[in-house]
Structure formats: structure tokens, C-alpha cells
Amino acid sequence: MSKKTTIYDIAEKLNITAATVSRALNGNPKISEATRQLVNDTAKEMNYEQNKLALALKSGKSFNVGVIVPRIDSNFFASVIRGVEDELYPQGYHVIICQTHDQKSVEIENINSLLNAQVDGILMSISNSGPEETRNFDQLLKKNVPLIFFDRKEKIPGVSSVTIDDFKGGYQATQHLINQGCKRIAHLSNNRKIEIFEKRYLGYKQAIIDNGLEFDESLVIETMSKVDEGRKSTKILLDMPEPPDAIFSSSDFVALGAIQEIKSRGINIPEEFCVVGFANEPFTRFMELSITSVDQSPVEMGRIAAQVFLEEVGNSKKIKSERQVVLTPELMIRKSSLKSSVLAK
Amino acid sequence: MSKKTTIYDIAEKLNITAATVSRALNGNPKISEATRQLVNDTAKEMNYEQNKLALALKSGKSFNVGVIVPRIDSNFFASVIRGVEDELYPQGYHVIICQTHDQKSVEIENINSLLNAQVDGILMSISNSGPEETRNFDQLLKKNVPLIFFDRKEKIPGVSSVTIDDFKGGYQATQHLINQGCKRIAHLSNNRKIEIFEKRYLGYKQAIIDNGLEFDESLVIETMSKVDEGRKSTKILLDMPEPPDAIFSSSDFVALGAIQEIKSRGINIPEEFCVVGFANEPFTRFMELSITSVDQSPVEMGRIAAQVFLEEVGNSKKIKSERQVVLTPELMIRKSSLKSSVLAK
DNA sequence: CTGTTAGCGCTTTCAC
DNA sequence: GTGAAAGCGCTAACAG
């Protein structure tokens, strides 16, 4: 029932003015030690708590940052958010979550909504699907609200981004398969209009070429990131006259589907067929036949995105710095691609 | 660069007063159609966007709710948050995330911090570890900020909660094992000072008693929710003079560890030994030997917690309603406990 | 229908 | 060292 105490309440009780209370509370040096004590004590006594909203209105800083992701119940995005929160909370910031469910229209809504809420910055991973509308990033940029992309980005001048080197991830994975003695490596990609998938594909392709293997475009199939879709695409691959002897998938779920299909045909993994996934989803490590995968260090990604944000707000507002941080992915080698015959060498 | 436009800017431009602009924008019926049009058009033209902070300060409602969880990069909590966000966003609310990392001290900090930020409510899952400090829920309740517990709760008068029926979950899982013909069922619990684990244990115990089996306390081992800990505890169980023929674990990770240990001894699952976990983590479904587990419908839990919150703010502030919603868990039966011999019957 | 005024809670010049 | 007053952007009586 009790209304929240304000500085006026303390001022009244002490027969001083609100300004003095404010100063005392904020450790202003021109306040006498006596008053400071008195104020602090009564503040505690009256359960005073600063109303950040008023402060925010006055100062123009809300100490809230928005994070926009396709969905939050995905290990990757949840981990990024964890990184962001871990980094920003100690600096006094709160993290507001918005989900786009992968629809661009919602994305725009989210941005406006966050802008209305006067967030001090927005960190986001852009969505894929939906019509190719013009996103209103311009408007956002005009308002001088720092915008930082992570994972999936768009190239916009003045906008920083934190991503991983997807090309390298694809290259590493493929090189590893080649090192295992695989000769005919297929690639289960995803919609290659999306930059990250295109890059993984390019890394894969380059590794094949660099190693003097034959590059066969028919071994590349775009596959939605679902277990069943992985099975379907793998069926196609295995039914080819000259089937592959390895798969590099840009999704762990697809890799799992592939493994299921391969096993069901009595083909031995990894001895006869190797599989590598992407994203290092928790389950890849738990499987009996653990799955080799490319780790994207999502927590780190979140932390760094947060740091970039802090830099940008720290800057005098005039200087538009633009940073493109690219993290190096790490291949987690597990059973699905580790031939004991190669180990023995 | 461009400063944000305020209603004063559009008022000035139109030679009317800010109040009129405000009314026009808010669809106040006493405004002439002409002015409304004019205002709306200029607003759009000038890229006006409402400053929710000012509104919040004025109205005392921030349209933010805080969600406090031990950590966000856990499938369960991320899913709950998803449910909360899905429900609240359409109502104009934003969700602020705080993590406690399972420390009570941080929990208190988080609450204060959210209170300072003037959130309209707090949804939280309480943390386990850390010293048994007095939580300052009283203070929160005094401020009349709706507090809603989910999953893990504390019994506090006037505080609503959304949980699952952990007793039933434990009972169902155990009954299922008994139906499979298991006679000597062990239970890998967790710290039973925590209500949810105690209840799962009690459900397990009751099912055993109800079915006329012998209840043996030595078959119950408290085990931290880690794969390795599951292996350790299972070792102990299997090395007993009279080892069990099934395990009901209150954690999927522990169940996984158990399965690893059991398999390593050449014991056949599910024919010779059945295992059931709890939480329905995504990986349980992906394993080759998929794991039977109790689903807690986290998204649903989040949605309902959000709905309870909406009810409470909808209420005239005077009425302190207290709701205790209990969801029924669902047993997801999979390979780790499904004997074909029983199926054949 | 629209203008005037006041106030949400806080900080911050400018005086004294 | 402390008070007085103004203002952040918006809404809501109260007038007219």
C-alpha cells in the first residue's frame, strides 16, 4: 500500500530541500558531512529507492538496451544474450528482449517499440524471412542510437557488427574432413541468400579446391535446419550413382538427420563416412556418436557486442565509430568424423 | 544528429498547444477531425515517436516487467521467457531479463535494480544456493508490485505462482517404470531441500508404495545435475549387492550419465534396465537411444505466469489476488524405458 | 473543441 | 553548504 518514497519525502521530514537531498545522495562534495549522514540514514529508514525513470527522462539515458533476436529459446541466441547480460548488468544496464520469430515486419515493430522505450542502444541479429522490405535503420541511425549487429548482419555504413568468420568455419571443417581421408565431400547448406550460409559454402568450396579435389556442385544441397530435412537431403546424396563419403552441414540438426539416415543404411560412421555439423549445439556433445561441429562461441559474441556498445556510448556522441569484429570459430572434433585409422598414423 | 521530435515541436509548427497534439495523437474524441489529421500527418512527417519514459513517469506505469532466472542459457528458462514474451509483447509490455547465476545475493540486487527501473511486475524463479538470507520480498510487496513465482517458488501470502505438479511427475514416471515390469527402481534426486526435488521424490516413493513394491531408501541418491555426477551415482547403484533394474532421475543430464554407465557395463537398455529423466531437454529426443522424460511445458508456464501478471495489474490495485496455478506434467515415453516385450503384450 | 496550468521525480544551474 | 527555480516529455484536470 505504501507509496514509494521520493526525495521530497525525505526533504520534508528533514526540513531541507529536495535539491540538497539529491546532492547528498549523489555524493556531491559541497554537502556537509552531517547532512549527508542524516540524509543517507533517513533514506534508508524510509526505504527510499531512486526512480530511474525520472532520472532517465531528465538525463535522456534510460540505461536499458534492447536485444532483438529471431527467438530466444534457441541455445545460440540464449547464449548470446547471456553474454550481453553478463557484460552489461555490472555497468548498470538492463537488457530488454524482443523476438522477431524471424519475420522482418516484426523486426521493424520491435525497433520502434524499443526506440519508444528510449533504449540507449540496440543489439540485433537480423531475420531472414519475410518480404524484402526496407528496414527503417536510417531512422534509427538518425536518432543516434547505437546499433550493433551480431551473427547475422547487413552492411550498413556506421553500424558495428560482431560475427564469426563463417568462411573460415566452413574451410576448417572441410579441411578436417579432407585430413581424415575423405575424397568426395558433400555440403548441406541452407538458404544461401543469407550471408552466413553463403560464406560457409564458400569456405567449403575453397578448401576442396585448395586441396586439389574435384568440386562437384551437385553435392551441395540447400536444406532447412531441421532433422527431417537433413535425412531427406542425405537420402538424395546416398542414392547418387557416385555418393559422397562425407558431409559438412551448416546446421547441427541437419547433421543429425544425416547421421540417422547414414546409419539406417548400415554405413559405418566415421570409418566409412564422416559428418561435421555447425553451431556446436549442446546435443552434439551428448550423443553416443558425438558430432563434430564448429563452435561459434555465442557467449563471447554477446560479451563483445556489449563491449562495442559500451565503447560507442562512451564516445562523445559526435564520433561515429564503426567496428567490425570477426571472431574465429573453433572446430570441436568428435566421434562423427574421427577415424581411428587416421589417429593410428 | 537530429534530436528526437517532441509534441512541442509539432505544436509549435502547427501553432497549437502541446496538449492538443497529445490529445490528437491519443485519439481523444473531443478533437476536430481536421486537427487530428493535421497533427497525425505532421507527426509522421517529423518522425515523431512517443517518449514512453515521460509517459511512464507521469502514469507510474513503465510497461516493463522484469523476469529473474538463475540463467538464461538453459533450455528450460529460455523457453519460459519465450512464453512470457510471446504473451506480454502484444499487450505493449517489454521484458527485462536478469540472471542470478543461482546466488541469492544477486537475486536481491536484481529485485532492487528492477524496482528502481520501475517495472510493473516481477516474474521469478528463485535460486537455490547461497546463504539462507532473508529475501526482501516484503519490501517489494509493500510497494504493491505484482510478484509471480514460476517453477521454483516460496510460499508467501499474497504471491501467485505457476508451477508444475512435481509430485505427479515423479509418480507418473515411476508408475510407468512399474508398468514396464521394473521391480527395483532407484531414484537419482537432487538437493531435496529444494521443494521441487522433494516433491518428485515423494511422488516416486508413493508410486512404489501404491504398487506394493518394497521401498528402499538406499536406492535414493542426491546427485547434482551433471552428466558425470549421474555416472558416479549410477556406479554406486550398480555395484550394490542387489542392484536396481531401473532409474528415475530428476534430471535429464543425470539420466544421460546413468545411461552411459549402464551401457558401458554391457547392460541392455531398455530390456534389462530402464531409465527415465526429467525436464524433457531437447537432447533427450535426439539421442539414438532416446530418453523418456517428464515434460514441464516451459513455454506454457511462461505464458500463464504472464497471464496471471496481466490479471493482477488489471485488478483494481486494492485487491490482492493470489493464484496458485499448477500445471500437469506430461511423460514423454521414449526408447530408454520402452520394452518391446511389454509392447508385444 | 482547444488553451492553460500543474505535476510525475529527479538534477542542475544560479543565487545567497 | 544549501535554497529556489527550471525543465526533461507527457497527460489531465479545469477553463473557456
Side-chain angles (χ1 to χ4, degrees), chain B residues 281-312:
Chain B
E281 287 283 337
F283 75 83
T284 55
R285 168 167 92 252
F286 294 144
M287 313 288 298
E288 194 177 1
L289 177 73
S290 56
I291 305 175
T292 297
S293 189
V294 179
D295 184 66
Q296 302 173 277
S297 51
V299 177
E300 189 67 8
M301 188 181 283
R303 296 196 95 97
I304 295 183
Q307 286 163 9
V308 171
F309 160 75
L310 289 172
E311 277 177 28
E312 298 204 359

Side-chain angles (χ1 to χ4, degrees), chain A residues 201-245:
Chain A
Y201 159 77
L202 288 174
Y204 151 82
K205 184 172 176 178
Q206 195 60 47
I208 292 195
I209 292 169
D210 286 358
N211 284 270
L213 295 182
E214 183 204 357
F215 174 71
D216 182 350
E217 187 78 49
S218 72
L219 290 180
V220 177
I221 304 181
E222 292 197 4
T223 309
M224 282 204 325
S225 185
K226 306 256 175 198
V227 178
D228 286 346
E229 297 296 316
R231 274 197 92 134
K232 276 190 211 159
S233 296
T234 306
K235 274 201 182 83
I236 298 174
L237 288 172
L238 297 179
D239 288 340
M240 285 180 168
E242 250 189 297
D245 60 0

Side-chain angles (χ1 to χ4, degrees), chain B residues 330-342:
Chain B
E330 186 185 0
L331 185 66
M332 312 301 285
I333 299 175
R334 303 205 180 91
K335 290 185 189 168
S336 71
S337 71
L338 200 54
K339 300 193 184 183
S340 51
S341 52
V342 175

Side-chain angles (χ1 to χ4, degrees), chain A residues 324-336:
Chain A
Q324 310 286 347
V325 180
V326 179
L327 304 175
T328 300
E330 186 184 1
L331 185 66
M332 312 300 286
I333 299 175
R334 302 204 181 93
K335 289 186 189 166
S336 70

Side-chain angles (χ1 to χ4, degrees), chain A residues 48-59:
Chain A
Y48 169 75
E49 273 167 15
Q50 191 188 45
N51 183 336
K52 289 240 166 103
L53 241 40
L55 214 188
L57 180 59
K58 185 97 183 83
S59 68

Side-chain angles (χ1 to χ4, degrees), chain B residues 16-17 19-20 23 30 32 35 57-58:
Chain B
I16 54 178
T17 181
T20 310
R23 283 188 274 247
K30 335 183 106 180
S32 76
T35 347
L57 180 59
K58 184 99 181 77

